[in-house]
């Protein structure tokens, strides 16, 4: 392998000649061979937004020339476009402040600028007016806000729209309800689906609220929150540029001592992701229970048959999309615990659990977005209710007795239900045998369409 020698304050180190990173990146590669999970690409993209905004703000403050700022900005645009993904090899499990990833970005930008004939120092120029202690927390928030905006919310909106279509397709179909896994009173199938739709939409409202907190950035706090080495108004200028670049309303956190040490906004936002995961778990479980069978289960829904379900049982088809969603939901719930523990570790002026927080948040966002799209395309859009089975279960339910309570009272209604269950007869037969109503009175009273 061809190498070149790079240096930092600790001396020289050999770096692969075909790479754009420098000494500090190489040291991290050699010192942290842990796990193999690389820094999320969303974090690198967020750094590329941040470094461009910082460069432009520094140029306006006279700390960089226009040529230097534009060279940094050009490199950042190429990084965001994915042109240099292999230049960011560092793992999650490194220094807890993310310093080495910040320097990885600085070094790559400096070398890309050098390719254009502009000499930049990774610290003096690319990192001007910054510290890893305010850039990584800012990149963490930028990445989280962008992932919520560009990945999670659009996928959720598409899934909610698919449920709306299912509602509209079956406006009058009545089915039996169930509570405690036991028969309950009837409802419309569309009403049940509307509940599923809102289980997706409600966490989206929470995510939009939480995004406001994510848009408060630590940038400008530098090392410990005092803003040392940053020009006056720098934080406002950087956030203004970020608003232009991303379209999101970023603003400086007014208290940098809070911003550097607390990850409460991330906890709040991931809590909304966990709420979405919990709701998706409920929806997927409902659908796979109601599609169970095909002959010995509930069998009230038909879902797409996407692939063989068994290596030993011919013809078996399983609710695989539902299972994938529930596994993703479990992972998100675990990620939430990791983020909560990490956020509790903001000792003194800095939280040093930043990369693990970034990794888990981005994993959750990616999983939920992908799972919702897959679930929608390969399951929800193909759901068809089994009308005959729904009607059979509806007419066979003893809980239709509920509408008799105003006529014959709770205790006599309960006696009718228990008699029908004990004798293996219909509810109507039990009522008639007890002489509580005539057949005509029963038929006029027990009408499921009036119970929904």
């Amino acid at each position: 392998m061809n190498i070149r020698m790079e240096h930092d304050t600790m001396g020289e180190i050999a770096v692969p000649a075909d790479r754009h990173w420098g000494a500090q990146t190489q040291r991290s590669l050699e010192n942290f061979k842990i796990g193999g999970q690389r820094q999320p690409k969303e974090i690198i993209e967020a750094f590329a937004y941040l470094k461009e905004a910082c460069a432009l703000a520094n140029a306006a403050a006279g700390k960089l020339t226009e040529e230097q700022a534009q060279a940094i900005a050009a490199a950042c645009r190429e990084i965001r476009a994915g042109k240099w993904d292999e230049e960011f090899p560092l793992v999650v499990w490194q220094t807890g402040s993310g310093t080495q990833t910040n320097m990885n970005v600085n070094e790559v930008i400096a070398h890309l600028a050098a390719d254009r004939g502009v000499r930049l120092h990774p610290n003096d120029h690319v990192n001007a007016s910054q510290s890893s202690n305010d850039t990584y927390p800012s990149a963490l928030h930028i990445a989280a806000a962008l992932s919520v905006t560009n990945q999670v919310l659009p996928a959720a909106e598409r899934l909610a729209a698919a449920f709306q279509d299912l509602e509209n397709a079956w406006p009058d179909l009545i089915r039996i309800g169930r509570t405690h896994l036991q028969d309950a009173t009837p409802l419309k199938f569309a009403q049940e689906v509307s509940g599923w739709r809102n289980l997706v939409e409600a966490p989206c409202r929470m995510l939009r609220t939480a995004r406001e907190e994510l848009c408060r950035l630590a940038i400008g706090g530098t090392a410990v929150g005092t803003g040392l080495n940053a020009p006056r108004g720098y934080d406002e200028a950087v956030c203004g540029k970020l608003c232009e670049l991303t379209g999101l309303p970023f603003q400086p956190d007014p208290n940098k001592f809070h911003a550097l040490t607390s990850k409460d906004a991330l906890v709040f936002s991931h809590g909304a992701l966990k709420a979405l995961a919990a709701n998706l778990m409920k929806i997927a479980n409902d659908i796979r229970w109601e599609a169970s069978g095909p002959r010995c289960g509930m069998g009230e829904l038909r879902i797409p048959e996407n692939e063989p379900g068994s290596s030993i049982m011919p013809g078996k088809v399983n609710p695989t999309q539902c299972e994938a969603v529930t596994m993703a939901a479990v992972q998100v719930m675990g990620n939430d615990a990791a983020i909560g523990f990490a956020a509790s570790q903001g000792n003194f002026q800095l939280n040093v659990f930043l990369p693990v927080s970034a990794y888990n948040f981005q994993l959750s966002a990616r999983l939920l977005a992908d799972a919702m799209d897959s679930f929608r395309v390969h399951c929800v859009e193909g759901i068809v209710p089994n009308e005959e089975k729904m009607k059979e279960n509806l007419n066979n339910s003893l809980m239709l007795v509920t509408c008799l309570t105003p006529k014959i009272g709770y205790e006599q209604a309960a006696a009718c239900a228990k008699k029908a269950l004990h004798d293996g007869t219909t509810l109507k037969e039990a009522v008639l045998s007890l002489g509580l109503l005539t057949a005509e009175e029963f038929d006029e009273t027990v009408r499921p369409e009036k119970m929904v």
Side-chain angles (χ1 to χ4, degrees):
M1 179 178 67
N2 293 327
I3 62 170
R4 69 175 190 276
M5 300 306 295
E6 287 275 341
H7 77 277
D8 57 14
T9 57
M10 298 187 71
E12 289 194 331
I13 189 170
V15 174
D18 61 342
R19 292 304 183 188
H20 286 80
W21 64 68
Q24 293 195 51
T25 303
Q26 190 65 33
R27 292 189 196 283
S28 184
L29 273 175
E30 296 179 7
N31 291 336
F32 295 97
K33 297 178 180 179
I34 303 173
Q37 294 86 9
R38 285 165 58 164
Q39 289 284 322
K41 61 183 177 59
E42 294 89 351
I43 288 292
I44 303 303
E45 178 185 358
F47 262 110
Y49 277 118
L50 181 62
K51 294 295 178 179
E52 179 173 353
C54 288
L56 298 175
N58 276 320
K63 295 194 70 170
L64 291 178
T65 67
E66 189 63 27
E67 180 186 39
Q68 291 170 330
Q70 290 304 320
I72 292 171
C76 289
R77 289 191 289 271
E78 290 185 354
I79 291 170
R80 293 199 298 272
K83 185 175 180 181
W84 304 106
D85 287 352
E86 294 308 309
E87 299 292 339
F88 304 99
L90 300 189
V91 295
V92 172
W93 321 106
Q94 52 164 279
T95 181
S97 62
T99 298
Q100 287 133 7
T101 288
N102 179 47
M103 287 309 302
N104 181 197
V105 175
N106 290 337
E107 290 174 343
V108 170
I109 291 172
H111 282 93
L112 291 175
D115 289 348
R116 296 180 171 84
V118 180
R119 292 182 62 82
L120 297 175
H121 190 280
N123 297 80
D124 295 336
H125 300 118
V126 187
N127 202 61
S129 309
Q130 303 155 59
S131 163
S132 298
N133 294 356
D134 68 351
T135 58
Y136 200 105
S138 296
L140 176 56
H141 276 210
I142 294 167
L146 287 172
S147 292
V148 166
T149 301
N150 297 332
Q151 295 182 53
V152 180
L153 288 175
E157 288 162 1
R158 290 189 290 269
L159 179 57
F163 283 129
Q164 182 71 72
D165 290 342
L166 189 58
E167 284 178 66
N168 295 341
W170 303 92
D172 300 317
L173 179 60
I174 300 175
R175 58 167 308 150
I176 197 64
R178 294 177 179 87
T179 59
H180 302 269
L181 299 182
Q182 304 295 306
D183 302 347
T185 55
L187 74 162
K188 290 184 177 181
F189 176 60
Q191 291 172 323
E192 179 181 38
V193 177
S194 76
W196 295 342
R197 172 172 52 79
N198 250 271
L199 285 164
V200 177
E201 292 173 339
C204 289
R205 295 193 297 271
M206 301 170 198
L207 280 168
R208 292 186 185 97
T209 298
R211 185 173 55 187
E212 296 178 16
E213 297 299 321
L214 287 175
C215 285
R216 294 174 179 265
L217 303 184
I219 196 67
T222 65
V224 296
T226 60
L228 180 67
N229 291 348
R232 186 177 297 276
Y234 175 74
D235 54 355
E236 293 279 0
V238 172
C239 288
K241 295 297 182 183
L242 282 170
C243 292
E244 295 175 14
L245 291 170
T246 65
L248 293 179
F250 291 110
Q251 58 180 305
D253 192 307
N255 189 314
K256 302 298 191 295
F257 308 103
H258 161 263
L260 266 62
T261 194
S262 174
K263 293 280 95 41
D264 48 14
L266 203 71
V267 172
F268 184 36
S269 299
H270 197 276
L273 292 180
K274 182 174 72 170
L276 177 57
N279 286 358
L280 290 172
M281 174 76 83
K282 181 261 192 292
I283 295 168
N285 278 333
D286 280 359
I287 290 173
R288 66 173 168 176
W289 273 109
E290 292 178 13
S292 61
R295 291 187 174 178
C296 299
M298 288 175 64
E300 294 187 351
L301 293 181
R302 295 188 178 97
I303 58 177
E305 298 181 352
N306 296 320
E307 61 273 315
S310 173
S311 60
I312 189 173
M313 293 174 279
K316 194 173 192 296
V317 179
N318 295 328
T320 52
Q321 289 295 318
C322 296
E323 291 167 5
V325 168
T326 57
M327 285 192 292
V330 165
Q331 183 64 58
V332 172
M333 293 173 193
N335 294 347
D336 191 74
I339 287 174
F341 287 131
S344 72
Q345 300 301 306
N347 303 123
F348 305 116
Q349 279 69 60
L350 186 65
N351 180 292
V352 291
F353 286 72
L354 300 181
V356 70
S357 299
Y359 175 74
N360 280 280
F361 192 99
Q362 293 303 324
L363 177 58
S364 292
R366 211 176 306 126
L367 274 176
L368 288 173
D370 289 349
M372 285 188 289
D373 275 338
S374 181
F375 186 48
R376 171 179 56 84
V377 171
H378 299 292
C379 182
V380 174
E381 290 178 350
I383 289 175
V384 177
N386 183 342
E387 294 183 81
E388 291 183 6
K389 187 66 174 177
M390 284 188 179
K391 184 177 181 180
E392 175 189 338
N393 287 340
L394 175 67
N395 292 333
N396 197 40
S397 172
L398 300 178
M399 288 305 99
L400 296 180
V401 76
T402 306
C403 61
L404 292 177
T405 303
K407 278 188 171 293
I408 63 176
Y410 184 94
E411 291 193 11
Q412 286 188 317
C416 293
K418 290 179 179 181
K419 179 176 176 57
L421 180 61
H422 180 269
D423 296 348
T425 64
T426 66
L427 183 62
K428 183 176 182 178
E429 289 171 326
V431 171
L432 295 180
S433 70
L434 291 173
L436 297 172
L437 292 175
T438 67
E440 291 76 14
E441 288 173 326
F442 182 93
D443 291 340
E444 176 62 29
T445 305
V446 182
R447 297 177 60 181
E449 67 274 15
K450 290 186 175 182
M451 300 176 71
V452 297

